[in-house]
Amino acid sequence: MAKLSQEDLLAQFEEMTLIELSEFVKAFEEKFDVTAAAAAPVVVAGGAAGGAAAEAAEEKDEFDVVLTGAGDKKIQVIKVVRELTSLGLKEAKDLVDGAPKPVLEKVNKEAADKAKESLEGAGASVEVK
């Protein structure tokens, strides 16, 4: 197998959904016995001290759409999750069965509201964080 350059790897990751990328990170952590999240608190702690006041003043522009329950129409909810995330049938079913789970992460307000409306229309209960 040819060795992929860093640019090739980044191009592949760019095409993945957030859920696929999250699953990849978990598999990577298990395979190499490492934790990718270990560096995040250090970065956040360092940046939080100086930038906390500036962040509070800014309006939130990234939202997470979290499925909190499937309701009575589970099949319709699975269909909507597949449309929103481009997941396969099994992955979408697992996501719905494992509620509460994030369906979309770090999307703009318009996309979050649209996803919430679609999921609620299918009978699911949803939170936008």
Side-chain angles (χ1 to χ4, degrees), residues 2-20:
K3 184 175 178 181
L4 296 174
S5 71
Q6 189 173 16
E7 290 80 24
D8 292 337
L9 287 171
L10 289 173
Q12 288 297 315
F13 292 138
E14 190 174 58
E15 294 175 11
M16 298 173 90
T17 65
L18 290 176
I19 293 172
E20 291 170 332

Side-chain angles (χ1 to χ4, degrees), residues 77-128:
V77 174
I78 292 170
K79 288 179 181 179
V80 172
V81 167
R82 288 188 68 200
E83 290 171 8
L84 293 172
T85 62
S86 70
L87 288 175
L89 180 59
K90 182 182 181 334
E91 291 84 4
K93 181 183 180 303
D94 291 345
L95 189 144
V96 171
D97 287 342
K101 290 246 182 176
V103 177
L104 297 173
E105 296 176 320
K106 297 184 180 179
V107 296
N108 63 29
K109 177 127 175 89
E110 182 180 317
D113 289 341
K114 191 173 183 179
K116 180 180 180 185
E117 183 180 314
S118 298
L119 287 164
E120 287 178 343
S125 53
V126 181
E127 284 183 13
V128 176

